[in-house]
Amino acid sequence: MHKRTIVALPGDGIGRVVLEETIRVLDKAGFDAEYVEGDIGWEFWKTEGNPLPDRTIELLEKHKIGLFGAITSKPKDAATAELDPSLADKGLIYSSPIVGLRQHFNLDICIRPCRTYKGNPLNFIRRGAGNSSEEPAVDVAIFRQNTEGLYGGVEWSNPPEPVYQALLTHPKFVKNFGKVPKEELSISTRIFTKRATERILRAAFEYAQKFGFKSVTVCEKPNVIRETSGMMYKMAQEMQAADFPGIELWNTNIDAQMMWLTKNPENYGVIVAGNMFGDIVSDGFAGLIGGLGFACSANLGEDVSVFEPTHGSAPKYADYPKSIVNPIAMVESACMMLDHIGEAEIAKRIRKSISKVIQEGKVRTYDMMKMTGRADVIKKGAASTKEMADAIIANL
Ligand code: NAI
Ligand code: MG
């Protein structure tokens, strides 16, 4: 059998080191693969005017699976100012390459599991009865629609005339905004399609079934956002009744869900939401299980899939002589990749090893020691990125 090829997309800043260490863990865990490096990120914006070169798209088209570190993004004007002088007057406009990847390959299903590791000093602790304290075990998987909704990019300030005329056909627009001068209007749309909604819902139910979760919660706001949230909830009801009668369907509003987050996080299993609410609720749950050093994700399309930690490139740590950041979020993202490509046994071994390292508590990165991130945390006893990877490898 020929080896599987993975497109390694290190990107910028700490993305490079966490990916390198993760590949070391994968190798030692016995995952037999070849890695081809795909160019992505700030350097390619500066030198080529494109942070996502076509050759990288072609690599992913060919090999289908990407393991992505993180990239640096900057606001439009700052980006233009850093372009190579030879590109300066070409009218190039920066846009995020990870968003570009999601759109190009229609990576519409985003999964963000948030699972407590026993013994992680960053676990959420809650006050119980009397003056007791409780550490609820969170095991939640958030399914976020990744391409539509409020992040779909269909928006205007001072909308063009045909758009404005169309809005005037809606009685609520006339009543609430009809007297506002057009130049003073900014509009961002929230578009849901049946096809994408069906895909994210089905993915959530199938995951619940596969991994034995008892419930799927639609976390939206159907009582107020009647059309989009309402459609998602209605489709979920129909799908549950027809195809997943053994799984309970719950319905929470995003605002109430954030309030309940710390009250009873252990009650939730699979949560499914549109793009923005999924973004919010997944960061909320990630905070309960250790934050950015632990938050992993998968972006799944029909053809191509990309696995990445939730964190960014943390540029202020990128040039430390010894990298201090926690590689676990990246390693966990790689485990999601292994599950996806039928290497669940290796993923299980790696997770077990992470669990052992955390429970032993001897090797902890600065975030786990609740230190402020600075180069001297190593001197104060924090493990480096490499030492954490070494510990995971030693426990495999
Ligand atoms: P960030 O996630 O890079 O860092 C925020 C803070 O979180 C860091 O200063 C650090 O204290 C902590 N942190 C992040 N990763 C960590 C890890 N593995 N271990 C321990 N601590 C960790 O977000 P920030 O500072 O807002 O953005 C930095 C750059 O990253 C920006 O250019 C931003 O656009 C980009 N970004 C890229 C993302 C991606 O590639 N998917 C996602 C988020 C931000
Ligand atoms: Mg986010």
Side-chain angles (χ1 to χ4, degrees), residues 112 144 151 276 278-280 282-283 292 310:
R112 294 183 170 183
R144 162 189 174 195
Y151 300 171
M276 185 193 194
D279 198 11
I280 293 171
S282 61
D283 275 13
L292 288 175
T310 304

Side-chain angles (χ1 to χ4, degrees), residues 61-82:
E61 250 154 30
K62 182 160 171 213
H63 301 296
K64 314 292 184 203
I65 303 287
L67 200 50
F68 170 60
I71 49 89
T72 297
S73 273
K74 296 186 188 177
K76 230 163 57 177
D77 294 346
T80 308
E82 287 192 37

